[in-house]
Amino acid sequence: MTHTYKRWYDHDPLLMQVIELLKSYPNELKSQAESFLKKVEEQVSKEAVDRFYDMVKPMILGNRWYDSDPILSKTVELLRVVPQEVQKLAADNFITALKESGVVIEQDNQ
């Protein structure tokens, strides 16, 4: 039986948690988003990430909570379009990095 999800991140509770954290605390978590992007860039190059983002970003920005910040916008859009196993790994790494930096996460799904 396959499930139909309303939002692209509803399939994974940890990914949902990361998106909700980014949505609730965008300024506080921006450095973690930047760190995530740097790790991706180390794997494939900054130019590849920028080209990929240019292909997947919507034509009109401004309707979503993360559109006003280029770092958050790129982070969320990249998370949206990568395969689910990569989303899961990225979400897990994001939560781990938050814990290591001393951020208290109330609804921990692990």
Coordinates of all heavy atoms in Angstrom, one line a residue, residues 14-52:
L14 N 11.7 12.6 10.9 CA 12.9 13.4 11.2 C 13.0 14.6 10.2 O 13.4 15.7 10.6 CB 14.1 12.5 11.1 CG 15.4 13.0 11.6 CD1 15.3 13.4 13.1 CD2 16.5 12.0 11.5
L15 N 12.7 14.3 8.9 CA 12.8 15.4 7.9 C 11.7 16.5 8.3 O 12.0 17.7 8.1 CB 12.5 14.8 6.5 CG 12.7 15.8 5.4 CD1 14.1 16.4 5.3 CD2 12.4 15.0 4.0
M16 N 10.5 16.0 8.7 CA 9.5 17.0 9.1 C 10.0 17.8 10.3 O 9.8 19.1 10.3 CB 8.2 16.2 9.6 CG 7.5 15.6 8.4 SD 6.1 14.6 9.0 CE 5.2 15.6 10.2
Q17 N 10.7 17.2 11.2 CA 11.3 17.9 12.3 C 12.3 19.0 11.9 O 12.3 20.1 12.3 CB 11.9 17.0 13.3 CG 12.4 17.6 14.6 CD 13.0 16.6 15.5 OE1 13.4 15.5 15.2 NE2 13.2 17.1 16.8
V18 N 13.2 18.6 10.9 CA 14.2 19.6 10.4 C 13.5 20.8 9.8 O 13.8 21.9 10.0 CB 15.1 18.9 9.5 CG1 16.0 19.9 8.7 CG2 16.0 17.9 10.2
I19 N 12.5 20.5 8.9 CA 11.8 21.6 8.2 C 11.1 22.5 9.2 O 11.1 23.7 9.1 CB 10.8 21.0 7.2 CG1 11.6 20.3 6.1 CG2 9.9 22.1 6.6 CD1 12.5 21.1 5.3
E20 N 10.4 21.9 10.2 CA 9.7 22.7 11.2 C 10.7 23.5 12.1 O 10.4 24.7 12.4 CB 8.9 21.8 12.1 CG 7.7 21.2 11.4 CD 6.7 22.3 10.8 OE1 6.5 23.3 11.5 OE2 6.3 22.1 9.7
L21 N 11.9 23.0 12.4 CA 12.9 23.7 13.1 C 13.4 24.9 12.3 O 13.5 26.0 12.8 CB 14.1 22.8 13.5 CG 13.8 21.8 14.6 CD1 15.0 20.8 14.7 CD2 13.7 22.6 16.0
L22 N 13.7 24.6 11.0 CA 14.1 25.7 10.1 C 13.0 26.8 10.0 O 13.3 28.0 10.0 CB 14.5 25.2 8.7 CG 15.8 24.4 8.6 CD1 15.9 23.7 7.3 CD2 17.0 25.3 8.9
K23 N 11.8 26.4 9.9 CA 10.7 27.3 9.8 C 10.5 28.1 11.1 O 10.3 29.3 11.0 CB 9.4 26.5 9.5 CG 8.2 27.4 9.2 CD 7.0 26.6 8.8 CE 5.8 27.4 8.5 NZ 4.7 26.6 8.1
S24 N 10.7 27.5 12.2 CA 10.4 28.2 13.5 C 11.6 29.0 13.9 O 11.4 30.0 14.6 CB 10.2 27.1 14.6 OG 9.0 26.4 14.3
Y25 N 12.8 28.6 13.6 CA 14.0 29.3 14.0 C 15.0 29.6 12.9 O 16.1 29.2 12.9 CB 14.7 28.5 15.1 CG 13.9 28.1 16.2 CD1 13.3 26.8 16.3 CD2 13.6 29.0 17.3 CE1 12.5 26.4 17.3 CE2 12.7 28.6 18.3 CZ 12.2 27.3 18.4 OH 11.4 26.9 19.4
P26 N 14.5 30.3 11.8 CA 15.4 30.5 10.7 C 16.7 31.2 11.0 O 17.7 30.8 10.5 CB 14.5 31.3 9.7 CG 13.4 31.9 10.5 CD 13.2 31.0 11.7
N27 N 16.6 32.3 11.8 CA 17.9 33.0 12.0 C 18.8 32.2 12.9 O 20.0 32.2 12.6 CB 17.5 34.4 12.7 CG 16.8 35.3 11.8 OD1 16.9 35.2 10.6 ND2 15.9 36.1 12.4
E28 N 18.3 31.5 13.9 CA 19.1 30.8 14.8 C 19.8 29.6 14.1 O 20.9 29.2 14.5 CB 18.3 30.3 16.0 CG 17.8 31.4 16.9 CD 16.5 32.0 16.5 OE1 16.1 31.7 15.3 OE2 15.8 32.6 17.3
L29 N 19.1 29.0 13.1 CA 19.6 27.8 12.5 C 20.3 28.0 11.1 O 20.7 27.1 10.4 CB 18.5 26.8 12.3 CG 17.8 26.4 13.6 CD1 16.7 25.4 13.4 CD2 18.9 25.8 14.6
K30 N 20.4 29.3 10.7 CA 21.0 29.6 9.5 C 22.4 29.1 9.3 O 22.8 28.6 8.3 CB 21.0 31.1 9.2 CG 21.4 31.5 7.8 CD 21.2 33.0 7.6 CE 21.7 33.3 6.2 NZ 21.5 34.8 5.9
S31 N 23.2 29.1 10.4 CA 24.6 28.6 10.3 C 24.6 27.1 10.0 O 25.5 26.6 9.3 CB 25.4 28.9 11.6 OG 24.8 28.2 12.7
Q32 N 23.6 26.4 10.6 CA 23.5 24.9 10.3 C 23.1 24.7 8.8 O 23.6 23.8 8.2 CB 22.5 24.3 11.2 CG 22.9 24.3 12.7 CD 24.2 23.6 12.9 OE1 24.5 22.6 12.3 NE2 25.0 24.1 13.9
A33 N 22.3 25.5 8.3 CA 21.9 25.4 6.9 C 23.1 25.7 6.0 O 23.4 25.0 5.0 CB 20.8 26.4 6.5
E34 N 23.9 26.7 6.4 CA 25.1 27.0 5.6 C 26.1 25.9 5.7 O 26.8 25.5 4.7 CB 25.8 28.3 6.2 CG 25.0 29.5 5.9 CD 25.6 30.8 6.5 OE1 26.0 30.7 7.7 OE2 25.8 31.8 5.8
S35 N 26.2 25.2 6.9 CA 27.1 24.1 7.0 C 26.7 22.9 6.1 O 27.5 22.3 5.5 CB 27.2 23.7 8.5 OG 27.9 22.5 8.7
F36 N 25.4 22.7 6.1 CA 24.8 21.7 5.2 C 25.2 21.9 3.8 O 25.6 21.0 3.1 CB 23.3 21.6 5.4 CG 22.6 20.8 4.3 CD1 22.6 19.4 4.3 CD2 21.9 21.5 3.3 CE1 22.0 18.7 3.3 CE2 21.2 20.8 2.3 CZ 21.3 19.4 2.3
L37 N 25.0 23.2 3.3 CA 25.3 23.5 1.9 C 26.8 23.3 1.6 O 27.2 22.8 0.6 CB 24.9 24.9 1.6 CG 23.4 25.2 1.5 CD1 23.1 26.7 1.3 CD2 22.8 24.3 0.4
K38 N 27.6 23.7 2.6 CA 29.1 23.5 2.4 C 29.4 22.1 2.2 O 30.3 21.7 1.4 CB 29.9 24.2 3.5 CG 29.9 25.7 3.5 CD 30.8 26.2 4.5 CE 30.7 27.7 4.7 NZ 30.5 28.5 3.6
K39 N 28.8 21.2 3.0 CA 29.1 19.8 2.9 C 28.7 19.2 1.6 O 29.4 18.4 0.9 CB 28.4 19.0 4.0 CG 29.1 19.2 5.4 CD 28.4 18.5 6.5 CE 29.0 18.8 7.8 NZ 28.4 18.1 8.9
V40 N 27.5 19.7 1.1 CA 27.0 19.3 -0.2 C 28.0 19.8 -1.3 O 28.4 19.0 -2.2 CB 25.6 19.8 -0.5 CG1 25.2 19.5 -1.9 CG2 24.6 19.1 0.5
E41 N 28.4 21.0 -1.2 CA 29.3 21.6 -2.2 C 30.7 20.9 -2.2 O 31.3 20.7 -3.2 CB 29.6 23.1 -1.9 CG 28.3 23.9 -2.2 CD 28.4 25.3 -1.7 OE1 29.4 25.7 -1.0 OE2 27.5 26.1 -1.9
E42 N 31.1 20.4 -1.0 CA 32.4 19.6 -1.0 C 32.3 18.3 -1.7 O 33.2 17.8 -2.3 CB 32.8 19.3 0.5 CG 33.2 20.5 1.3 CD 33.4 20.2 2.8 OE1 33.2 19.1 3.2 OE2 33.7 21.2 3.5
Q43 N 31.1 17.8 -1.8 CA 30.8 16.5 -2.5 C 30.7 16.7 -4.0 O 31.2 15.8 -4.7 CB 29.6 15.8 -1.9 CG 29.6 15.4 -0.5 CD 30.7 14.4 -0.2 OE1 30.8 13.4 -0.9 NE2 31.5 14.6 0.8
V44 N 30.1 17.8 -4.4 CA 29.8 17.9 -5.8 C 30.3 19.2 -6.5 O 30.2 19.3 -7.7 CB 28.3 17.7 -6.1 CG1 27.8 16.4 -5.7 CG2 27.5 18.8 -5.4
S45 N 30.7 20.1 -5.7 CA 31.2 21.5 -6.1 C 30.1 22.5 -6.0 O 28.9 22.2 -6.2 CB 31.8 21.5 -7.6 OG 30.7 21.7 -8.5
K46 N 30.5 23.7 -5.7 CA 29.6 24.8 -5.5 C 28.9 25.2 -6.8 O 27.7 25.4 -6.8 CB 30.3 26.1 -5.0 CG 29.4 27.3 -4.8 CD 30.2 28.4 -4.2 CE 29.3 29.7 -3.9 NZ 28.0 29.7 -4.3
E47 N 29.6 25.1 -7.9 CA 29.0 25.4 -9.2 C 27.9 24.4 -9.5 O 26.8 24.8 -10.1 CB 30.1 25.4 -10.3 CG 31.1 26.5 -10.2 CD 32.2 26.2 -9.2 OE1 32.4 25.0 -8.8 OE2 32.8 27.2 -8.7
A48 N 28.1 23.1 -9.2 CA 27.0 22.1 -9.5 C 25.8 22.4 -8.6 O 24.7 22.3 -9.1 CB 27.6 20.7 -9.2
V49 N 26.0 22.7 -7.4 CA 24.9 23.0 -6.5 C 24.2 24.3 -7.0 O 22.9 24.3 -7.1 CB 25.4 23.3 -5.0 CG1 24.3 23.8 -4.2 CG2 25.9 22.0 -4.4
D50 N 24.9 25.3 -7.4 CA 24.2 26.5 -7.9 C 23.4 26.2 -9.2 O 22.3 26.7 -9.3 CB 25.3 27.6 -8.1 CG 25.8 28.2 -6.8 OD1 25.2 28.0 -5.8 OD2 26.9 28.8 -6.9
R51 N 24.0 25.5 -10.1 CA 23.3 25.1 -11.3 C 22.1 24.3 -11.0 O 21.0 24.5 -11.6 CB 24.2 24.4 -12.3 CG 25.2 25.2 -13.1 CD 25.8 24.5 -14.2 NE 26.3 23.2 -13.9 CZ 27.6 22.9 -13.5 NH1 28.4 23.9 -13.3 NH2 27.9 21.7 -13.2
F52 N 22.2 23.3 -10.1 CA 21.1 22.5 -9.8 C 20.0 23.3 -9.1 O 18.8 23.2 -9.5 CB 21.5 21.4 -8.8 CG 20.5 20.3 -8.6 CD1 20.1 19.5 -9.5 CD2 19.9 20.2 -7.3 CE1 19.1 18.5 -9.3 CE2 19.0 19.3 -7.0 CZ 18.6 18.4 -8.0

